[in-house]
């Protein structure tokens, strides 16, 4: 069986413990490879490699760092099919999605920061007293990048690219649930000759590898994407050590549809925004609010469209919904559907596990599920489910729906559908959310700030925000 290796100091190596974790194919429900069960010892090796490489890498001209990023991007593009297939097998997502979204975006992340770093500027402030201040923005040192399983390479590279572009050396930890494309990335880094120690990838559990990175006094910066509880654990460890922290956490995103919305567009897009990647995107619309005049028609047509989504083999053309990432995650999602029923909800479509064992797929498939009749403040409408489950609720007025939308502890991405320009701006201003999409969803310009408010996170990724995060500003004041 294939054994994944850590990538430390430019080499692929086995974990010091010689212990491995089972890696499952979620569509088949069976183990297909082994992941290093790395320990603090492996993390120490990686940190030490990153520390040794730091001076030279941070002093390497940015144009040269930029070239390495571009080469990595090109290699991923050349191997698109291999990466996409690996992502689909590892995560359970449709191959078509990995081919169209995940892998092209991972390549784009490296390409974007290869360009951004050469355009990154620092400020200067002139004083009439005869002095000038200028800001140096220097790489900080060893950076930890910890990422989740839902968009494995996409989110992993979204951290690594700006961190190394800015001149830091990285110890990165992909999710132990989806390690494969991070392993392929380490091979790409070897192929392009990325200097040793600049990027190190240590596989394994969060409570071992992730925890060792959070604890280490040699890691002053942590960029984390994952669950809100895990973010809290990391923050507890990192805060007394005054580490720089970026936390991209959970969401419970509202999709607000007014009567005057472009009907066909809203219908098409909401099927995607609620159920893309089996609803396992932090930006997915999990609470759909529809204005009363349109409600019944929208509900009927939406249910029809959701029922038509094909749950099936992720590797087959025509599959819309693949497998959920793990058995325990599927059980959590099914548990929330039971809770919704207990809370008085009516399942309009879906609601059950899908048995595809006749096709040799003994994995974790769940029907896309829509639930009606719940109050805005019940647990189903307040807690993150992170699966193919959405609720639908009617509303009358702007004030009412704003109250519903802003009622959760989360504030990541809101989607708003209206043709009334004034209302669109007014609502965008009032929504407690780091991102607002109006008449679109997941339309991404990588230059824009990305992140959430409230329990959805601290800090912003994207564009120059990420380059600012991965550098330390120092003001120099000269009087002349
Ligand atoms: P998770 O928090 O369980 O794990 C994320 C990563 O943290 C994994 O690599 C894991 O091994 C590691 N980890 C776990 N415990 C740790 C610890 N004690 N110390 C350090 N690291 C630790 O999250 P998940 O289940 O992989 O991902 C799903 C969650 O991620 C959802 O809540 C989703 O909303 C969120 N998410 C947020 C964004 C965003 O941009 N805001 C994007 C994608 C996913």
């Amino acid at each position: 069986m294939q054994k994944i290796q850590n990538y430390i100091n430019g080499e692929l190596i086995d974990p010091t413990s010689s212990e491995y974790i089972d890696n499952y194919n979620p569509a088949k429900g069976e183990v297909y490879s082994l992941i290093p069960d790395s320990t603090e010892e492996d993390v120490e090796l990686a940190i030490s490699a990153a520390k040794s490489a730091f001076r030279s890498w941070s002093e390497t001209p940015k144009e040269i760092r930029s070239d390495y990023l571009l080469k990595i991007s090109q290699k991923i593009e050349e191997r698109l099919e291999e990466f996409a297939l690996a992502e689909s097998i590892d995560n359970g997502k449709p191959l078509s999605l990995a081919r169209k979204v995940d892998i092209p975006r991972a390549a784009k992340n490296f390409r974007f920061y290869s360009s951004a770093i050469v355009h990154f500027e620092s400020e200067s402030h002139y004083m009439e007293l005869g002095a000038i201040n200028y800001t140096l923005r220097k790489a900080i040192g060893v950076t930890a990048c910890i990422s989740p399983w839902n968009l494995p390479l996409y989110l992993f590279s979204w951290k690594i690219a700006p961190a190394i572009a800015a001149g830091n050396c990285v110890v990165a930890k992909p999710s132990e649930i989806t390690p494969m494309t991070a392993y392929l990335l380490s091979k790409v880094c070897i192929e392009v000759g990325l200097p040793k120690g600049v990027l190190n990838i240590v596989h394994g559990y969060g409570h071992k590898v992730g925890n060792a990175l959070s604890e280490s006094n040699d890691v002053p910066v942590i960029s984390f994407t994952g669950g809100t509880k895990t973010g809290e654990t990391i923050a507890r460890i990192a805060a007394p050590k005054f580490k720089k922290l970026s936390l991209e956490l959970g969401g419970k995103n509202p999709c607000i549809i007014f009567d005057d919305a472009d009907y066909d567009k809203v219908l098409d897009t909401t099927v995607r925004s609620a159920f893309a990647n089996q609803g396992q995107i932090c930006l997915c619309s999990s609470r759909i609010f529809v204005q009363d005049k349109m409600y019944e028609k929208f509900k009927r047509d939406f249910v029809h469209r959701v029922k038509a989504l094909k749950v099936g083999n992720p590797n087959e053309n025509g599959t819309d919904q693949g497998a959920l990432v793990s058995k325990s995650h599927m059980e959590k999602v099914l548990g929330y559907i039971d809770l919704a029923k207990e809370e008085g909800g009516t399942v309009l479509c879906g609601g059950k596990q899908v048995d595809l064992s006749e096709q040799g797929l003994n994995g974790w498939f769940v029907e896309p599920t829509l639930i009606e009749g719940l109050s805005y403040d019940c647990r189903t409408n307040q807690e993150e489910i992170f699966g193919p489950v959405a609720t639908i609720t009617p509303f009358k007025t702007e004030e009412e729906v704003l109250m519903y939308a802003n009622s959760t502890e989360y504030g990541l991405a809101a989607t708003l559908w209206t043709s009334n320009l004034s209302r669109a701006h007014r609502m965008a201003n009032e929504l407690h959310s780091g991102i607002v999409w109006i008449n679109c969803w997941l339309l991404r310009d990588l230059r824009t700030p990305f992140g959430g408010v409230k329990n959805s996170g601290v800090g912003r990724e994207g564009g120059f925000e990420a380059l600012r995060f991965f550098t330390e500003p120092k003001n120099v004041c000269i009087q002349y």
Side-chain angles (χ1 to χ4, degrees):
M1 187 165 302
Q2 185 185 11
K3 277 185 181 162
I4 286 172
Q5 290 177 296
N6 288 330
Y7 170 54
I8 297 177
N9 206 24
E11 287 177 14
L12 292 172
I13 57 173
D14 295 333
T16 49
S17 67
S18 302
E19 299 286 328
Y20 289 84
I21 306 164
D22 289 339
N23 187 25
Y24 284 87
N25 174 329
K28 294 193 169 168
E30 58 191 38
V31 178
Y32 83 103
S33 65
L34 297 171
I35 315 162
D37 182 4
S38 306
T39 61
E40 212 177 316
E41 234 176 294
D42 303 286
V43 174
E44 282 307 321
L45 286 176
I47 291 174
S48 154
K51 268 173 82 176
S52 306
F54 177 65
R55 187 167 189 123
S56 158
W57 181 248
S58 61
E59 289 176 358
T60 297
K62 56 184 172 310
E63 289 77 8
I64 295 179
R65 298 200 301 262
S66 159
D67 285 348
Y68 280 112
L69 269 82
L70 191 57
K71 282 186 201 149
I72 294 172
S73 169
Q74 286 165 341
K75 281 278 172 212
I76 296 173
E77 277 165 0
E78 277 168 23
R79 290 162 62 171
L80 173 74
E81 273 307 306
E82 183 193 349
F83 269 90
L85 186 61
E87 202 72 295
S88 167
I89 292 171
D90 213 25
N91 173 278
K93 67 177 68 209
L95 174 58
S96 55
L97 188 72
R99 196 185 271 144
K100 198 168 148 216
V101 177
D102 291 74
I103 306 306
R105 172 59 194 277
K108 201 170 164 191
N109 289 340
F110 282 104
R111 185 179 291 274
F112 176 84
Y113 278 106
S114 128
S115 165
I117 192 60
V118 291
H119 299 283
F120 188 42
E121 293 166 347
S122 60
E123 310 81 37
S124 99
H125 300 90
Y126 168 74
M127 297 169 81
E128 288 75 7
L129 297 169
I132 190 153
N133 296 270
Y134 62 87
T135 310
L136 288 174
R137 287 197 175 270
K138 301 187 68 174
I140 306 170
V142 181
T143 298
C145 295
I146 305 175
S147 60
W149 50 257
N150 63 322
L151 300 168
L153 191 64
Y154 174 135
L155 291 174
F156 197 53
S157 52
W158 185 227
K159 300 181 176 306
I160 292 169
I164 63 174
N168 301 284
C169 292
V170 168
V171 180
K173 193 204 102 53
S175 169
E176 66 277 21
I177 303 170
T178 52
M180 193 54 85
T181 47
Y183 178 51
L184 296 182
L185 174 67
S186 51
K187 292 185 174 179
V188 160
C189 292
I190 292 171
E191 274 177 47
V192 305
L194 186 71
K196 57 184 191 177
V198 170
L199 172 62
N200 305 273
I201 300 177
V202 184
H203 295 270
Y205 288 119
H207 66 271
K208 292 187 183 174
V209 177
N211 185 63
L213 285 168
S214 307
E215 290 277 4
S216 173
N217 291 331
D218 290 320
V219 178
V221 187
I222 302 174
S223 173
F224 169 81
T225 299
T228 296
K229 274 274 160 249
T230 315
E232 190 184 319
T233 306
I234 293 173
R236 272 185 209 286
I237 298 168
K241 294 176 185 265
F242 305 110
K243 296 191 182 207
K244 224 175 167 183
L245 263 187
S246 163
L247 301 172
E248 299 293 340
L249 309 175
K252 187 74 182 175
N253 307 305
C255 165
I256 302 170
I257 304 170
F258 283 93
D259 290 339
D260 61 0
D262 174 340
Y263 191 77
D264 292 337
K265 194 173 173 203
V266 75
L267 196 58
D268 280 350
T269 312
T270 309
V271 173
R272 267 197 320 119
S273 76
F275 297 108
N277 204 36
Q278 297 75 246
Q280 301 167 136
I281 302 181
C282 54
L283 309 163
C284 273
S285 313
S286 47
R287 297 177 295 147
I288 303 167
F289 300 109
V290 187
Q291 205 167 16
D292 50 0
K293 281 204 200 88
M294 192 198 271
Y295 186 79
E296 288 302 327
K297 177 174 164 51
F298 181 86
K299 182 177 87 177
R300 195 178 57 244
D301 293 346
F302 191 63
V303 166
H304 182 72
R305 293 286 299 272
V306 175
K307 278 185 175 167
L309 290 173
K310 186 179 170 223
V311 182
N313 187 340
N315 292 335
E316 265 173 24
N317 285 338
T319 293
D320 300 302
Q321 298 275 293
L324 267 61
V325 77
S326 67
K327 186 163 188 277
S328 62
H329 189 57
M330 178 187 73
E331 283 163 357
K332 176 188 149 184
V333 169
L334 292 171
Y336 269 107
I337 297 172
D338 289 341
L339 173 71
K341 290 184 209 156
E342 282 164 29
E343 290 184 319
T346 305
V347 175
L348 298 176
C349 61
K352 293 191 292 295
Q353 185 179 355
V354 181
D355 182 0
L356 296 177
S357 54
E358 277 189 1
Q359 298 174 40
L361 301 170
N362 295 307
W364 308 304
F365 298 87
V366 173
E367 292 171 332
T369 302
L370 187 69
I371 301 166
E372 173 186 52
L374 291 167
S375 69
Y376 75 93
D377 57 353
C378 68
R379 281 184 57 204
T380 311
N381 266 330
Q382 292 288 315
E383 296 176 14
E384 185 183 47
I385 302 174
F386 212 57
V389 180
T391 63
I392 184 164
T393 309
F395 72 91
K396 282 194 169 59
T397 65
E398 221 174 283
E399 294 69 30
E400 178 190 6
V401 78
L402 257 178
M403 190 273 282
Y404 294 165
N406 288 341
S407 67
T408 74
E409 65 184 26
Y410 296 106
L412 188 54
T415 305
L416 182 61
W417 293 91
T418 179
S419 54
N420 180 330
L421 193 60
S422 301
R423 171 157 64 202
H425 288 297
R426 198 165 51 234
M427 295 277 295
N429 186 44
E430 295 292 335
L431 282 161
H432 300 166
S433 184
I435 300 158
V436 179
W437 275 298
I438 300 173
N439 299 330
C440 59
W441 177 73
L442 202 42
L443 185 56
R444 294 282 291 118
D445 181 328
L446 301 190
R447 294 169 301 179
T448 58
F450 179 93
V453 300
K454 301 197 280 187
N455 289 7
S456 289
V458 178
R460 292 292 178 273
E461 296 188 318
F464 291 151
E465 297 278 347
L467 293 178
R468 286 190 201 104
F469 173 74
F470 286 116
T471 51
E472 192 73 86
K474 180 193 287 185
N475 189 64
V476 181
C477 177
I478 321 169
Q479 193 165 37
Y480 56 90

